Amino acid sequence: MSTGQHRPTIHPATREDLDTLQALARRTIDTCYRGFLGDKAVDWFIDSGASDTHVKSHLERGGVHCLSQDGRIVGLSILDGPTVDLMMVDSDHHRRGLGRFLLRHAEETLLAQYSTIRLETFPDNTAAKSFYEACGWDHGDRLEGEGPARVEYTKGGTDG
C-alpha cells in the first residue's frame, strides 16, 4: 500500500452505503469490463439497472462488505454462501494491494464456515484470472448458461 495512506478497513455495508456501492460497481464495470465484454454488453448491463439491483438485493440480505481507505469507500465484496459473488476495487485504486486485502478478508470469512470456497470470473478477464491464480485459487471449469460464459475458481481451507 502506498505511503501516506492509512491502512484500509473492511466493514459490513449499511443502507447508507448503497448509493456509493452502486456507483462504484457501475464505474468499475464501465472502466474495466469493456475490453472483454464489449461496449454493447457493458452499456446494456449498466443501463438495465442489473448491477444496481444486484448490489441492493445482496445488501438487503447481508454479506456485502465495504473496503475503505482514508474515510472513502474504494471497494466492495459480496459473499453469498461459499461464494465470493462479487469483488471490486475502484480502478483508481488498483495495484496498491487493496484487492489482495479484500480477497483475504473474503477468504477468511468464508473458510471459517466452508471447507471449499468458490468464485467466478469471465474467461477473457485475464487480469482477474492472473490475480486469483497469484492468490492461490485453483482454475476450474468453464461455466455456460444464462449470460456470458464464466470460469470457476476454488480454494480449500488447507490452501496457503
Side-chain angles (χ1 to χ4, degrees):
M1 281 159 257
S2 301
T3 54
Q5 296 180 331
H6 295 96
R7 181 166 169 78
T9 59
I10 297 174
H11 63 275
T14 66
R15 190 172 306 256
E16 290 74 31
D17 299 321
L18 179 61
D19 290 343
T20 301
L21 294 173
Q22 288 173 325
L24 186 147
R26 286 191 307 271
R27 241 183 357 266
T28 303
I29 293 165
D30 186 50
T31 303
C32 301
Y33 286 29
R34 291 186 183 278
F36 54 87
L37 288 181
D39 291 338
K40 184 176 180 181
V42 168
D43 290 341
W44 175 86
F45 191 68
I46 291 171
D47 293 344
S48 74
S51 173
D52 287 351
T53 300
H54 188 77
V55 172
K56 182 178 182 185
S57 69
H58 281 277
L59 186 116
E60 290 169 350
R61 293 194 316 251
V64 179
H65 295 89
C66 299
L67 169 68
S68 296
Q69 188 165 44
D70 296 329
R72 199 170 135 234
I73 295 174
V74 297
L76 71 107
S77 66
I78 296 176
L79 308 181
D80 188 2
T83 303
V84 180
D85 177 79
L86 183 67
M87 192 179 106
M88 295 180 161
V89 174
D90 203 332
S91 62
D92 291 343
H93 292 80
H94 283 185
R95 311 226 37 96
R96 299 182 187 176
L98 296 171
R100 282 184 185 272
F101 184 78
L102 185 60
L103 184 59
R104 192 172 311 114
H105 174 268
E107 291 169 357
E108 290 170 358
T109 301
L110 295 180
L111 287 170
Q113 302 170 59
Y114 303 97
S115 60
T116 302
I117 59 177
R118 63 181 298 281
L119 58 80
E120 298 174 8
T121 193
F122 300 104
D124 294 333
N125 189 347
T126 55
K129 289 170 41 179
S130 295
F131 171 72
Y132 296 131
E133 290 167 17
C135 290
W137 286 74
D138 296 318
H139 186 279
D141 295 330
R142 184 178 171 103
L143 307 171
E144 306 283 347
E146 188 177 326
R150 294 154 334 276
V151 65
E152 180 179 54
Y153 281 83
T154 59
K155 191 168 194 178
T158 59
D159 293 348

